[in-house]
């Protein structure tokens, strides 16, 4: 009987327009594991990346280059329910022998602020934490930990 009342109360809250908190999976990537890159133009991660890369996209167009190629993923690294943004630039000028330009952005208001850049092709979010943020490992094998301002080895 108590289960029925809780369910009815939940439905009543939704009927009154109360905002339900999104499930953790709705906030981006799973809590740990390899980051799954998104490429669909309509995805939330790609739209956010376009906003973060406005200057680079404009510069590529001015230089007469094709559309800037990139993949993106949203991952809540500090569990604040505001996912950070990972962007992997895949344009020829962004890639070298050690990988492509990988960037980490933190949401700040309606924009994203650049925290880190690396040369890599893949990133794994680890269970371990430093300073309240999940540690990350690049495909180079290097583990990076949060210092309070950015990720460092």
């Amino acid at each position: 009987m108590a289960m029925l009342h809780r369910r009815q109360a939940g439905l009543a809250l939704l009927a009154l327009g109360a905002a339900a908190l999104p499930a953790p999976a709705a906030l981006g990537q799973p809590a740990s594991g390899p980051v799954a890159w998104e490429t669909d133009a309509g995805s939330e991660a790609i739209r956010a990346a376009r906003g973060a890369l406005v200057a680079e996209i404009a510069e590529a167009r001015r230089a007469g280059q094709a559309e800037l190629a990139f993949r993106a993923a949203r991952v809540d690294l500090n569990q604040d329910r505001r996912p950070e943004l990972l962007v992997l630039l895949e344009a020829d000028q962004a890639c070298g022998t050690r990988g492509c330009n990988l960037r980490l952005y933190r949401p700040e208001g309606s924009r994203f602020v650049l925290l880190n850049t690396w040369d890599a092709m893949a990133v794994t979010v680890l269970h371990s934490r430093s300073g309240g943020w999940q540690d990350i490992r690049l495909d180079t094998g290097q583990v990076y930990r949060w210092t309070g301002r950015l990720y460092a080895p």
Side-chain angles (χ1 to χ4, degrees):
M1 190 70 147
M3 180 70 93
L4 180 59
H5 291 295
R6 275 189 237 137
R7 184 167 185 239
Q8 288 172 338
L11 292 174
L13 285 174
L14 290 174
L16 293 172
L21 292 175
L27 293 174
Q29 299 288 318
S32 65
V35 169
W37 298 107
E38 295 183 30
T39 57
D40 179 26
S43 76
E44 191 173 337
I46 294 296
R47 288 193 313 268
R50 279 205 173 94
L53 296 171
V54 166
E56 288 87 344
I57 291 171
E59 180 61 33
R61 287 184 181 149
R62 278 193 296 277
Q65 298 168 353
E67 182 72 23
L68 188 62
F70 62 89
R71 293 187 257 170
R74 294 182 53 151
V75 182
D76 192 3
L77 296 169
N78 59 359
Q79 305 303 302
D80 66 353
R81 303 187 72 78
R82 297 177 46 218
E84 284 65 45
L85 177 67
L86 285 161
V87 177
L88 181 64
L89 297 174
E90 295 181 310
D92 290 340
Q93 65 273 21
C95 297
T97 57
R98 296 185 316 168
C100 293
N101 188 259
L102 172 64
R103 298 177 182 188
L104 173 64
Y105 295 88
R106 181 190 74 226
E108 190 172 284
S110 61
R111 62 189 184 99
F112 285 91
V113 176
L114 182 64
L115 293 178
N116 283 86
T117 59
W118 300 281
D119 289 328
M121 290 299 295
V123 60
T124 299
V125 177
L126 304 175
H127 285 288
S128 57
R129 295 179 165 278
S130 301
W133 291 55
Q134 286 181 268
D135 299 334
I136 58 176
R137 183 178 58 236
L138 302 183
D139 58 349
T140 61
Q142 182 68 56
V143 173
Y144 288 83
R145 292 173 176 81
W146 182 249
T147 66
R149 291 184 330 119
L150 52 81
Y151 275 92

